[in-house]
Amino acid sequence: MEREQWSSMAGFILASIGSAVGIGNIWRFPYVVGANGGGAFLIPYLISVLLFGLPLMILEFAIGRSAATSVVSTFQSIRQRFAFLGLAIVAVVTLILGYYLVIASWVLAYALFFVLNRPVEFGAFTDSYLPLIFYLISGLAVFVTVRSGVREGIERSSRFLIPILIVILLILVVVSLTEPGAGEGIRFYLSPDYSRLTDPTVWIAAFGQAFFSLSVGMGILLTYGSYLRGGSLFKSASIIAAADMLIAVLAGLMIFPLVFTAGLDPAAGVNLVFVTLPSAFADIQFGMLLGTLFFTMLFVAALTSAISMLEVPVATMIDTYGYSRRRATLLVFIAVMLIGLPSALSYTALDLAFFGTPVLDLADYVFGTIGLIVAGLILSVVGGWFVGRSRICAEIGGCGWQQTVYMALIRYCVPAVLLITLAGSFFLVTG
Ligand code: PHE
């Protein structure tokens, strides 16, 4: 059977933006900025994206396009014995998807609560078994899309959903900036504190956020690149990274004005989105409508990212193990739902925890933080050192010195930064 392909470059770019723009942009980025030097954080963040994130993104696209197959088969084509490294990456992305879907399902539930004008308190919601129903619905939405194929499912949904996301975001930004707390919110968010730039944890936060937000190092972009023929990878990757950054910055411009207008403290983590923001929406004019828009947008962002994650194991089963797309999607869907179940149950009355840490938080740390960095390391080392400069450069183009700079970034800088981030992530938790 002929391999699937994107219908156009624009379709490929939109699908990649769908993968990159997720919960990380709208929820995590604003808080990370606020907590790490405000506007000054944009400097390490920009450096991380341009020098490390973007080159790794281009590398994944280049390898995927030249191999024209998904992660494990690509790794086998590089060295037969690297198959297990490819499998490790596929495992990490599948494990991340399990808990990512849980968060996506809470977002979906909140969107519905706001539509129905019936805000539910977070503790009361998670204590019930209602989250499990939303977990199933979110999983099914991702399943149905991926099952429909690259062009009919992934590309089509992105073409439709990404514009919706951008329009909602712009509406919310305009409304937020006219709220009374806008000045204070923006000051908290962006006032630069340059003294923080000498703090290594700020840099590690920037590296981690950049890799997570761009969805690099997970084999997703490699898989998406494998459905691409022709076109400049540098240009597409720059558009994707710019869109990702712009949407993240805009998300902060809408969140903090709302939080400060309602006179609330900007919290971190789960509380910001599921406790602080809902009570901010309850306080302001047209809050129910704004809440509906916000959670719809966040669900769209999460959905398109989850779709890209599911495509990685599905494509592997198709390309490496010869399954049909239908069968592969069904089997992976069932596996993912089971993998995410302990995370889904960890905030319910069942309180599934491991040494006092909810399974979901643990999964986020082990797979979403450590696993993600290790996967990125594998990709950058295998891609940078074993694929061969000529094969990569044939894909990326450019002139001699540009290729030399690029290869140096990929071979030395990206792995070094990933190692530092890995060490920092251990240290930040244990230290
Ligand atoms: N980039 C997505 C976000 O910002 C998350 C993600 C991470 C998606 C890893 C795929 C892989 O939320």
Side-chain angles (χ1 to χ4, degrees):
M1 212 175 77
E2 214 188 303
R3 191 171 169 71
E4 292 187 88
Q5 271 180 39
W6 305 108
S7 73
S8 66
M9 199 68 179
F12 158 71
I13 291 176
L14 280 171
S16 303
I17 292 178
S19 175
V21 174
I23 294 174
N25 298 63
I26 293 167
W27 160 2
R28 196 161 176 266
F29 179 82
Y31 184 77
V32 173
V33 175
N36 287 285
F41 180 80
L42 297 179
I43 298 171
Y45 188 70
L46 206 64
I47 293 176
S48 312
V49 170
L50 293 181
L51 286 187
F52 315 121
L54 198 62
L56 191 50
M57 180 184 282
I58 295 173
L59 179 73
E60 278 198 50
F61 286 153
I63 301 175
R65 187 165 73 177
S66 95
T69 184
S70 50
V71 181
V72 175
S73 298
T74 299
F75 273 57
Q76 279 173 333
S77 78
I78 297 168
R79 293 278 192 287
Q80 190 61 36
R81 61 173 194 280
F82 284 172
F84 81 98
L85 292 173
L87 278 172
I89 294 176
V90 175
V92 168
V93 81
T94 311
L95 290 162
I96 292 181
L97 177 57
Y99 80 83
Y100 199 86
L101 265 183
V102 175
I103 301 175
S105 69
W106 294 346
V107 173
L108 178 64
Y110 268 66
L112 194 73
F113 296 158
F114 275 96
V115 173
L116 300 175
N117 199 353
R118 278 240 185 94
V120 179
E121 200 246 319
F122 185 62
F125 165 64
T126 49
D127 261 351
S128 69
Y129 285 92
L130 207 55
L132 292 180
I133 298 173
F134 287 97
Y135 177 56
L136 188 65
I137 299 174
S138 311
L140 280 171
V142 178
F143 164 71
V144 169
T145 311
V146 171
R147 198 179 106 115
S148 306
V150 174
R151 207 181 273 194
E152 294 302 314
I154 302 175
E155 182 176 339
R156 211 201 243 172
S157 64
S158 311
R159 276 179 188 274
F160 167 70
L161 292 172
I162 299 301
I164 293 184
L165 185 151
I166 293 174
V167 170
I168 296 184
L169 180 60
L170 291 177
I171 293 174
L172 288 173
V173 170
V174 171
V175 172
S176 299
L177 290 180
T178 56
E179 295 286 342
E184 208 186 334
I186 302 295
R187 235 168 291 130
F188 170 82
Y189 177 38
L190 290 178
S191 289
D193 176 0
Y194 293 106
S195 69
R196 295 296 307 278
L197 295 185
T198 52
D199 180 352
T201 59
V202 168
W203 287 82
I204 287 169
F207 299 149
Q209 175 64 23
F211 286 119
F212 185 82
S213 185
L214 294 173
S215 300
V216 288
M218 310 284 303
I220 292 174
L221 303 174
L222 187 155
T223 309
Y224 276 15
S226 74
Y227 302 127
L228 185 68
R229 294 288 149 265
S232 161
L233 294 181
F234 180 74
K235 228 197 252 163
S236 332
S238 305
I239 295 173
I240 296 161
D244 185 65
M245 223 167 358
L246 194 67
I247 289 176
V249 172
L250 286 175
L253 289 183
M254 63 139 298
I255 287 185
F256 291 115
L258 292 180
V259 172
F260 281 88
T261 299
L264 297 166
D265 252 350
V270 167
N271 282 342
L272 175 63
V273 168
F274 295 106
V275 181
T276 309
L277 279 178
S279 60
F281 288 127
D283 260 18
I284 56 181
Q285 229 189 347
F286 305 117
M288 288 300 127
L289 177 63
L290 297 176
T292 305
L293 286 175
F294 174 78
F295 283 102
T296 305
M297 167 180 78
L298 194 55
F299 183 67
V300 165
L303 185 65
T304 47
S305 296
I307 287 169
S308 73
M309 289 190 231
L310 185 63
E311 178 61 16
V312 173
V314 166
T316 298
M317 292 194 55
I318 298 172
D319 296 327
T320 311
Y321 301 106
Y323 284 78
S324 68
R325 178 167 283 274
R326 284 169 162 239
R327 262 185 85 96
T329 321
L330 182 66
L331 291 174
V332 178
F333 164 70
I334 294 171
V336 167
M337 293 310 284
L338 292 176
I339 288 171
L341 199 59
S343 297
L345 290 172
S346 64
Y347 274 75
T348 60
L350 216 60
D351 269 341
L352 224 52
F354 218 69
F355 296 110
T357 309
V359 175
L360 187 140
D361 297 48
L362 200 70
D364 180 42
Y365 178 66
V366 177
F367 310 130
T369 308
I370 304 294
L372 185 86
I373 303 169
V374 173
L377 260 174
I378 295 176
L379 252 165
S380 62
V381 171
V382 169
W385 291 91
F386 295 91
V387 172
R389 174 177 167 149
S390 55
R391 181 167 158 196
I392 293 175
C393 291
E395 293 293 332
I396 61 173
C399 61
W401 72 265
Q402 290 167 334
Q403 296 179 345
T404 304
V405 171
Y406 177 76
M407 289 311 291
L409 278 175
I410 283 299
R411 287 190 165 167
Y412 303 100
C413 302
V414 172
V417 162
L418 282 165
L419 276 176
I420 294 171
T421 316
L422 186 62
S425 306
F426 274 121
F427 177 74
L428 289 180
V429 165
T430 51

